[in-house]
Amino acid sequence: MIREKWYISKKYKDLSMEILQDNLSAIRARADITQEELANILGISRQTYYAIESKKKQMSWNIFMSMIFFFHELKSTSEMLKELKI
């Protein structure tokens, strides 16, 4: 059983992933990283990453969390994540 304070609703997950996906190319550009480099870090193909960034494929929660951890650690993008409230 997940304690209430740790529960993340599907609605919140979907909204957070949508916000990130809508802003992904801008965040990636601010990080000065290519699609291929980011895909390599995430452990996915560049084609899969491209499909996510171009909204042809929805990202998984695991990919979302990996991106959040990565972008949060970069000074150039951590503030942007805060502004987007994700």
Side-chain angles (χ1 to χ4, degrees):
M1 180 102 193
I2 298 174
R3 289 185 288 167
E4 184 64 32
K5 71 179 186 176
W6 299 115
Y7 177 74
I8 302 172
S9 71
K10 180 173 177 2
K11 182 179 178 180
Y12 178 83
K13 287 179 180 182
D14 290 344
L15 179 60
S16 297
M17 288 188 292
E18 182 179 334
I19 291 169
L20 180 62
Q21 200 162 11
D22 287 347
N23 294 279
L24 199 47
S25 62
I27 294 170
R28 186 177 54 76
R30 189 173 286 181
D32 192 28
I33 190 169
T34 67
Q35 289 182 344
E36 187 171 353
E37 290 167 328
L38 187 52
N40 185 51
I41 289 167
L42 298 170
I44 59 177
S45 70
R46 192 210 50 83
Q47 291 82 1
T48 297
Y49 179 84
Y50 172 79
I52 291 169
E53 189 174 288
S54 62
K55 300 180 189 174
K56 293 177 181 166
K57 177 183 174 90
Q58 186 174 7
M59 72 179 80
S60 69
W61 182 248
N62 290 339
I63 295 296
F64 169 81
M65 291 300 291
S66 297
M67 285 190 204
I68 292 297
F69 285 127
F70 175 76
F71 290 127
H72 182 267
E73 288 302 310
L74 299 176
K75 189 174 185 174
S76 61
T77 54
S78 64
E79 200 57 41
M80 192 172 182
L81 292 179
K82 289 178 190 172
E83 290 170 10
L84 294 170
K85 295 183 172 62
I86 50 174

